[in-house]
């Protein structure tokens, strides 16, 4: 019988020569245009498989350690669902206070422990750079599920997949990012990822104290993408193809008084959206805490619930890729 490494088509084998086999996913900087096309192709297939048969055995026997040091609903449960839809299983560690982390165990030691039991580790951690530290300690692939205010690469991949599925293109887009651009890691990743495409214009609308970090703007500028900052949405809404709304990240503020000053600065509702085009979409990584009125949810332009579902297919694709099955 051929071994898994000689026959990538064996049902239970892994293709160790596959480009993403064994790789960590730490930053969107790892993804070039052609990589995105590949991820989207696999995600598309995953969607078809889920719609046709629901659960299948591509990752049967594989184990994911889902390690969350910060709260999560969608990222954690969609990685769990992704692994289980692919026939694998999950070690969930959502409450690190019940693990040895509460005894003072270091992140590298926790990672070294979990990789004894799992084939891939998904990590969410409050410190920027923690995913890279974990990846350095690990022999198995580590997937960054949000490292503080740093990056949230799998969110940006599902965000771009959403734009592609909904609008059919990633070039020629006027994208407006709204809300907490300072602490919102999803917009840091998304701006970087979109900067590879042609004829992209990025508008940043935020309160003065929550502006997009210079470091991200400099990286985007290097790619030649025009960016402009505003404090009112009206100035850019009529031209916007994608309105990406974010939550003000209360947990990241040093002074709660500053949060009180800027919370509720922007609210999207049917009235505000009268000024927007019909063929545009509104996205949000969620959770929302008042930035989008539920009155807007039934508008066909409200893509944020569909966006969550796209996340499942993208995360299925990423797990299959790093485990040598795509
Ligand atoms: N769920 C997203 C994140 O983990 C967005 C948010 O929390 O506001 O970054």
């Amino acid at each position: 019988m051929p071994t898994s490494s000689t026959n990538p088509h064996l049902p239970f084998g892994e293709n160790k020569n596959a480009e993403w086999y064994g790789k960590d996913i730490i930053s969107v900087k790892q993804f070039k245009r052609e990589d995105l096309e590949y991820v989207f192709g696999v995600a598309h297939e995953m969607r078809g498989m889920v719609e046709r048969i629901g659960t299948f055995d591509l990752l049967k026997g594989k184990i994911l350690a889902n390690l969350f040091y910060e709260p999560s609903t969608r990222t954690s449960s969609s990685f769990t669902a992704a692994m289980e839809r692919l026939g694998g299983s999950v070690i969930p560690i959502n409450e690190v206070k019940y693990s040895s982390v509460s005894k003072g165990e270091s992140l590298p030691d926790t990672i070294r422990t979990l990789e004894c039991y799992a084939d891939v580790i998904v990590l969410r951690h409050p410190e920027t750079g923690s995913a890279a530290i974990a990846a350095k300690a690990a022999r198995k692939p580590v997937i960054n599920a949000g490292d503080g205010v740093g990056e949230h690469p799998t969110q940006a991949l599902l965000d771009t997949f959403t734009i592609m599925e909904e609008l059919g293109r990633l070039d020629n887009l006027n994208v407006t990012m709204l809300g907490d651009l300072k602490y919102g890691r999803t917009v840091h990743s998304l701006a970087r990822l979109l900067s590879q495409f042609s004829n992209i214009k990025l508008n940043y609308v935020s309160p003065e104290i929550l502006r997009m970090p210079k470091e991200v703007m400099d990286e985007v500028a290097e790619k030649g993408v025009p960016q402009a900052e505003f404090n009112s949405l009206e100035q850019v809404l009529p031209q916007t193809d994608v309105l990406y709304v974010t939550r003000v990240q209360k947990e990241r503020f040093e002074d709660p008084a500053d949060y009180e000053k800027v919370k509720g600065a922007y609210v999207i509702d049917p009235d505000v959206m009268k000024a927007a085009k019909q063929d545009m979409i509104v996205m949000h990584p969620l959770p929302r805490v008042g930035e989008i009125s539920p009155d807007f949810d039934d508008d066909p332009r409200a893509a944020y619930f569909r966006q969550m579902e796209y996340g499942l297919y993208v995360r299925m694709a990423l797990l299959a890729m790093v485990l040598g099955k795509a």
Side-chain angles (χ1 to χ4, degrees):
M1 204 166 115
T3 63
S4 55
S5 55
T6 56
N7 186 350
H9 304 296
L10 268 181
F12 300 115
E14 329 174 311
N15 180 4
K16 296 194 168 136
N17 299 319
E19 196 186 336
W20 288 88
Y21 174 76
K23 291 230 172 107
D24 306 303
I25 297 177
I26 304 302
S27 164
V28 288
K29 293 177 201 165
Q30 295 169 258
F31 292 83
K32 304 281 162 271
R33 261 190 101 117
E34 54 277 17
D35 299 312
L36 279 182
E37 275 157 30
Y38 184 72
V39 175
F40 295 171
V42 180
H44 216 88
E45 276 179 40
M46 295 297 181
R47 182 185 191 170
M49 291 293 278
V50 170
E51 280 167 4
R52 282 197 304 278
I53 55 170
T55 298
F56 47 104
D57 279 347
L58 192 69
L59 295 184
K60 189 174 160 72
K62 297 291 180 194
I63 298 176
L64 158 70
N66 220 14
L67 177 60
F68 281 70
Y69 288 73
E70 277 191 339
S72 169
T73 304
R74 276 150 292 272
T75 308
S76 160
S77 55
S78 65
F79 266 115
T80 299
M83 198 61 186
E84 292 185 355
R85 291 225 173 251
L86 292 166
S89 47
V90 181
I91 303 171
I93 307 186
N94 288 320
E95 291 277 2
V96 282
K97 63 174 182 278
Y98 297 126
S99 74
S100 286
V101 168
S102 67
K103 300 181 189 167
E105 186 167 68
S106 71
L107 177 63
D109 282 3
T110 303
I111 294 291
R112 283 187 198 106
T113 306
L114 289 172
E115 70 176 352
C116 296
Y117 315 132
D119 302 286
V120 54
I121 297 169
V122 168
L123 172 71
R124 169 168 292 182
H125 194 281
E127 275 158 43
T128 306
S130 52
I133 291 171
K136 208 163 159 231
R139 288 168 293 116
K140 306 266 174 77
V142 171
I143 300 179
N144 181 3
D147 61 334
V149 299
E151 279 217 33
H152 196 344
T154 68
Q155 177 75 44
L157 292 168
L158 78 88
D159 291 341
T160 44
F161 184 61
T162 301
I163 298 172
M164 195 63 199
E165 294 287 299
E166 296 273 324
L167 297 178
R169 66 185 196 280
L170 282 165
D171 294 309
N172 308 315
L173 284 174
N174 190 310
V175 179
T176 299
M177 299 183 179
L178 174 76
D180 185 347
L181 309 183
K182 179 178 179 188
Y183 297 123
R185 55 192 169 202
T186 65
V187 283
H188 302 164
S189 290
L190 185 60
R192 286 180 169 119
L193 200 53
L194 285 173
S195 68
Q196 310 193 35
F197 292 87
S198 317
N199 198 17
I200 294 288
K201 184 163 189 300
L202 295 179
N203 312 309
Y204 305 133
V205 183
S206 69
E208 190 57 34
I209 60 165
L210 297 179
R211 285 164 64 175
M212 184 63 98
K214 183 173 176 315
E215 180 201 336
V216 178
M217 288 188 70
D218 287 350
E219 280 176 40
V220 170
E222 256 173 50
K223 300 271 170 57
V225 169
Q227 308 167 86
E229 296 182 279
F230 304 88
N231 38 42
S232 105
L233 180 61
E234 292 82 75
Q235 292 166 271
V236 285
L237 188 58
Q239 306 92 55
T240 297
D241 299 305
V242 176
L243 175 62
Y244 194 96
V245 186
T246 63
R247 167 180 76 92
V248 179
Q249 311 271 302
K250 185 179 182 184
E251 68 276 27
R252 315 262 183 230
F253 280 74
E254 275 163 28
D255 182 353
D258 285 341
Y259 170 73
E260 290 303 319
K261 274 185 230 149
V262 289
K263 72 166 196 210
Y266 306 97
V267 178
I268 298 302
D269 62 20
D271 209 42
V272 169
M273 289 303 294
K274 279 186 190 145
K277 301 195 273 193
Q278 279 312 311
D279 58 343
M280 57 85 72
I281 52 170
V282 178
M283 298 173 65
H284 193 309
L286 302 175
R288 63 175 158 183
V289 286
E291 325 64 60
I292 302 181
S293 158
D295 297 344
F296 183 67
D297 293 352
D298 292 335
D299 190 297
R301 294 170 294 179
Y304 31 92
F305 297 132
R306 301 191 290 274
Q307 186 182 349
M308 289 193 282
E309 187 186 324
Y310 295 128
L312 171 69
Y313 310 129
V314 168
R315 289 179 172 131
M316 288 173 80
L318 296 173
L319 288 172
M321 284 163 60
V322 299
L323 291 171
K325 295 300 235 154

